[in-house]
Amino acid sequence: MPHWIDELAEKLLQYLESHFDKISEPIILNGGLSVSGLQHVGRLRGEITLNSALRYALEERGYKVKQFLTLYTQDEWKGKKPQIEAFDNPSEARKYIGFRLIDVPDPKGCHKNWVEHFWDDFGGVLDHFAPDVNVITTTQLYKDKLKKYVKIAIQRADHVRKIINKYRKRKPFPENWLPLLPRCEKCGRIGKAKILEVNLDKYTVKYRCECGFEGESSIETGKLNWRIEWSAIWAALGVHFEPYGKDHATPGGSRDSASELSIEIFGRAPPFGTPYEWVGVLNPDRTKKVMGSSDFVGFTPRQWYEVAEPEVLRYIYLTVPIMKQVFLGLHKVPEYTNNFDFGERIYFGEESAEDVEEIKRAYELAVMYNKPQSCPFRLSFSHAALLVQVISEENFLEEAIARLKETGILKKELDLTERKLLETRLNKAKNWVKYYAPDNMRISIISFEESIKIAKDAILLVKDKSKQIKMLVDKFTSIPWALDAIKESMKEITATFDDNKAIKDFFRALYLVFLGKSFGPRMAPLLTLLQREDVIRRIKLLI
RNA sequence: GGGCCGGUAGCUCAGCACGGAAGAGCGGGGGGCUCUUAACCCCUAGGUCGCGGGUUCAAAUCCCGCCCGGCCCGCCA
């Protein structure tokens, strides 16, 4: 069975053939986001990943494609509780209620405004999740491409009204209503003013605002009503495809009405589309919550990018059917990465499974233009997470490679691509350990005081070995403090033990004294990272 | 009132569009690795496939009804 992206591509091409005169190129894909708050990772699902994968599929079929992302920056800032609380001074924040998003100041003062502040954690890393996305704002569109369609909408206001009123039986708009929300120049709020007169030649609107101010402002600073706005954007950008969140998908909902307006008012077939399900957060305590921008629930693409590879997220989104809920938690990055690696091995035929074709395609669409030539060496994420904790900071890539060879996990020389991939993964793992790793995956040396306490138990494991341990201490005092010498010394000691059980107990005792638990990373490399004196005084506790 | 998604092993889920002896990963348990990792390798899950009907030689898979959970829309953008 073909991947759903390919099915979508075929359907889109059919739709374009039957609803547009011919398939005009480039094919325009658009997505839309209102920057009402936290720009979470869920918004990468439909508006970014889906579109970019679709784009890739269409390009494979020989079409030119352009991918847009429209930011709804002209929308009203509603001042929901979490939005207000984003400010240090909530009472002051209330005065921005009704402002356009673009006019609300940055609550933290580090960017030009609210939009730029919250866009940063999404837009700043967007390239890594999908290349060549043309990001535009409605604020900009109202100054250029949208003007023509704003005029049409106003000229055909009565027709617009009749269509929209079909969808709002309870509160129909009155006659002489215009689909325009002007911005008051005095109080700064949008959509609070009654329109008195529109001058399309000057492109201005006279209004009387709720605040009492009567004035005239440029239509550019206001906006169209939502449904007509959506269809106007389609017309202005020439959109052929746009996915939409499930909130728009209800029959008779905003997508349906916008489609009708597109045909009736702008004489243009609406874009093809598909609804998509929202994404939720999965917390380590297993509670779940749907991600929400203005509710500030979720985490951002930047947060993902710090601890995980972007293609891993793309792989998730491309594996799960688009109408199914997905819950994501950053604590599960190792698992997600494993799944991605699995897909990669399937793709390169290193492993077999059922439904191979779909897995292969999901992988291909996840990596797109960054596909390696052949199946690269991959270090499992959880192993990487442990490894980064026991190698030194500087030169960590070389050290990691040496360690991996030593333990037999890496058996060949890495090429440049593989080195790069490994380096990336180690870096992600390092951050992941810092922020999200559960305690039992953290390796940390306990204090000497704790060591003394725990030694009482540890010593029971090696109670008849004090002679050998003394010998070890002697060796440790005299050898050069380096990996090989440490390893040699330990081998010499354990060689005198009677059985495996004794060796195991010996190591358990060591782990207890250093880590406070009876297991841990390979001991010798760990010891090289510690001070000789510290190692010796702790081992002495076992005598 | 309308719409979507889910209910399969302790957990996360795959399998259902083309019905044919209940699956994977993780966790848990056991073992291996001339040296010790939660790396890597091997073994181990006996679960009313939400419930009830129907179709069929055969249903987790198709049809009908119901129950439970999560979510969206009901005229904001």
Side-chain angles (χ1 to χ4, degrees):
Chain A
M1 182 181 168
H3 192 276
W4 56 267
I5 285 284
D6 292 304
E7 286 187 341
L8 202 54
E10 293 302 331
K11 281 192 205 152
L12 168 60
L13 291 171
Q14 274 176 27
Y15 178 87
L16 292 180
E17 269 169 23
S18 57
H19 289 76
F20 291 77
D21 294 341
K22 57 177 177 30
I23 299 180
S24 64
E25 294 184 62
I27 296 173
I28 305 292
L29 313 181
N30 186 39
L33 303 176
S34 90
V35 192
S36 51
L38 182 80
Q39 296 304 293
H40 56 78
V41 108
R43 301 193 140 188
L44 288 169
R45 187 180 191 178
E47 315 295 343
I48 299 297
T49 305
L50 186 154
N51 274 2
S52 66
L54 183 62
R55 170 185 176 174
Y56 185 81
L58 291 168
E59 284 175 348
E60 280 178 328
R61 287 166 173 75
Y63 296 96
K64 284 205 173 69
V65 186
K66 209 165 175 192
Q67 184 181 351
F68 281 98
L69 180 70
T70 306
L71 303 183
Y72 287 79
T73 51
Q74 204 83 334
D75 285 14
E76 173 193 345
W77 191 75
K78 290 178 180 158
K80 285 175 80 171
K81 201 167 167 247
Q83 289 177 315
I84 298 274
E85 283 165 357
F87 286 86
D88 294 332
N89 184 350
S91 58
E92 198 198 316
R94 276 177 229 288
K95 72 180 184 208
Y96 308 128
I97 294 175
F99 276 29
R100 300 180 300 180
L101 292 167
I102 197 79
D103 293 330
V104 176
D106 179 347
K108 302 294 171 220
C110 46
H111 295 76
K112 254 169 74 184
N113 54 47
W114 174 277
V115 168
E116 290 196 14
H117 179 85
F118 289 105
W119 180 242
D120 193 59
D121 285 340
F122 195 106
V125 295
L126 181 56
D127 255 0
H128 301 294
F129 291 88
D132 298 323
V133 178
N134 297 280
V135 180
I136 47 175
T137 64
T138 50
T139 302
Q140 187 56 41
L141 285 176
Y142 276 108
K143 288 178 190 160
D144 44 57
K145 289 203 183 91
L146 220 35
K147 273 188 173 166
K148 183 177 155 194
Y149 300 95
V150 172
K151 283 183 187 169
I152 294 173
I154 291 171
Q155 281 160 351
R156 304 188 187 165
D158 199 50
H159 197 174
V160 172
R161 196 191 102 237
K162 281 178 180 147
I163 294 167
I164 292 185
N165 276 350
K166 288 205 305 197
Y167 296 91
R168 41 186 304 149
K169 294 200 178 73
R170 240 177 276 163
K171 291 194 278 177
F173 289 125
E175 268 186 67
N176 300 322
W177 168 87
L178 293 176
L180 191 64
L181 305 172
R183 176 176 176 275
C184 173
E185 295 201 315
K186 177 91 182 300
C187 72
R189 293 179 301 164
I190 192 164
K192 305 293 179 200
K194 185 172 159 45
I195 298 166
L196 303 174
E197 195 186 327
V198 170
N199 185 329
L200 285 183
D201 295 327
K202 280 166 63 194
Y203 206 64
T204 56
V205 52
K206 282 191 180 148
Y207 59 86
R208 187 185 315 115
C209 185
E210 277 179 3
C211 72
F213 185 73
E214 208 171 300
E216 184 170 16
S217 69
S218 168
I219 294 175
E220 284 178 8
T221 62
K223 72 189 291 293
L224 289 173
N225 263 69
W226 161 236
R227 291 156 202 263
I228 187 77
E229 176 181 66
W230 200 4
S231 48
I233 290 169
W234 291 339
L237 298 176
V239 179
H240 297 113
F241 176 88
E242 181 167 331
Y244 43 96
K246 65 162 168 190
D247 49 334
H248 301 299
T250 304
S254 60
R255 172 71 197 203
D256 280 356
S257 44
S259 293
E260 192 176 338
L261 287 163
S262 180
I263 297 164
E264 296 294 324
I265 305 302
F266 302 118
R268 181 182 186 279
F272 192 64
T274 184
Y276 60 87
E277 174 60 89
W278 292 348
V279 178
V281 235
L282 177 67
N283 299 309
D285 65 6
R286 292 217 185 110
T287 55
K288 294 173 176 178
K289 226 171 181 184
V290 175
M291 294 195 191
S293 179
S294 56
D295 291 322
F296 290 84
V297 176
F299 52 86
T300 64
R302 189 185 295 285
Q303 280 173 292
W304 177 279
Y305 185 69
E306 275 174 36
V307 299
E309 292 144 51
E311 52 270 30
V312 171
L313 181 61
R314 290 178 57 88
Y315 184 74
I316 295 172
Y317 285 155
L318 290 162
T319 310
V320 181
I322 195 72
M323 277 308 286
K324 279 185 67 162
Q325 265 187 344
V326 180
F327 288 90
L328 300 172
L330 288 172
H331 61 291
K332 290 182 82 171
V333 161
E335 197 179 315
Y336 301 147
T337 307
N338 270 347
N339 290 343
F340 171 81
D341 289 353
F342 172 75
E344 186 167 68
R345 291 195 302 276
I346 295 288
Y347 181 85
F348 287 106
E350 303 271 308
E351 200 162 331
S352 56
E354 288 174 44
D355 287 330
V356 174
E357 288 315 309
E358 277 195 76
I359 294 173
K360 279 183 170 178
R361 188 60 173 158
Y363 171 78
E364 198 170 27
L365 293 170
V367 295
M368 296 201 294
Y369 314 96
N370 297 322
K371 192 169 68 194
Q373 296 288 309
S374 57
C375 196
F377 167 77
R378 291 288 193 177
L379 177 61
S380 91
F381 196 94
S382 52
H383 193 176
L386 293 173
L387 191 56
V388 292
Q389 295 177 76
V390 293
I391 54 182
S392 50
E393 283 282 321
E394 68 279 5
N395 210 21
F396 75 97
L397 180 58
E398 293 313 321
E399 220 175 289
I401 291 173
R403 285 291 300 282
L404 291 170
K405 282 183 176 166
E406 202 177 289
T407 44
I409 289 159
L410 177 57
K411 296 184 181 73
K412 57 170 189 176
E413 291 306 317
L414 297 181
D415 64 31
L416 216 63
T417 313
E418 291 175 308
R419 285 174 64 92
K420 202 83 202 134
L421 291 174
L422 178 61
E423 187 176 15
T424 301
R425 184 158 294 182
L426 291 168
N427 277 320
K428 305 288 184 197
K430 201 187 282 182
N431 287 332
W432 182 79
V433 170
K434 198 153 88 191
Y435 300 124
Y436 308 109
D439 284 345
N440 54 7
M441 276 199 88
R442 290 175 201 273
I443 297 166
S444 56
I445 307 297
I446 58 174
S447 71
F448 187 60
E449 287 67 35
E450 287 174 86
S451 209
I452 292 170
K453 274 185 222 155
I454 210 156
K456 289 192 195 99
D457 299 322
I459 202 163
L460 297 175
L461 292 164
V462 291
K463 55 174 180 263
D464 53 344
K465 300 285 186 304
S466 44
K467 210 177 96 198
Q468 286 98 322
I469 292 174
K470 265 181 203 145
M471 280 168 61
L472 184 65
V473 169
D474 287 344
K475 282 188 188 299
F476 276 0
T477 316
S478 56
I479 59 167
W481 198 242
L483 184 63
D484 285 347
I486 294 174
K487 214 190 315 187
E488 259 330 291
S489 312
M490 295 179 72
K491 270 190 181 179
E492 280 174 39
I493 298 302
T494 52
T496 68
F497 290 8
D498 321 315
D499 53 18
N500 266 352
K501 169 89 168 49
I503 295 176
K504 274 191 175 156
D505 284 345
F506 168 67
F507 278 99
R508 281 206 190 105
L510 288 180
Y511 284 122
L512 281 170
V513 153
F514 288 101
L515 304 175
K517 41 193 179 187
S518 61
F519 56 87
R522 286 174 188 256
M523 189 50 89
L526 179 64
L527 296 185
T528 61
L529 295 175
L530 304 178
Q531 295 297 314
R532 183 201 304 256
E533 293 69 30
D534 185 43
V535 170
I536 289 171
R537 67 176 177 162
R538 287 181 199 244
I539 294 179
K540 277 183 176 165
L541 297 172
L542 295 173
I543 297 171

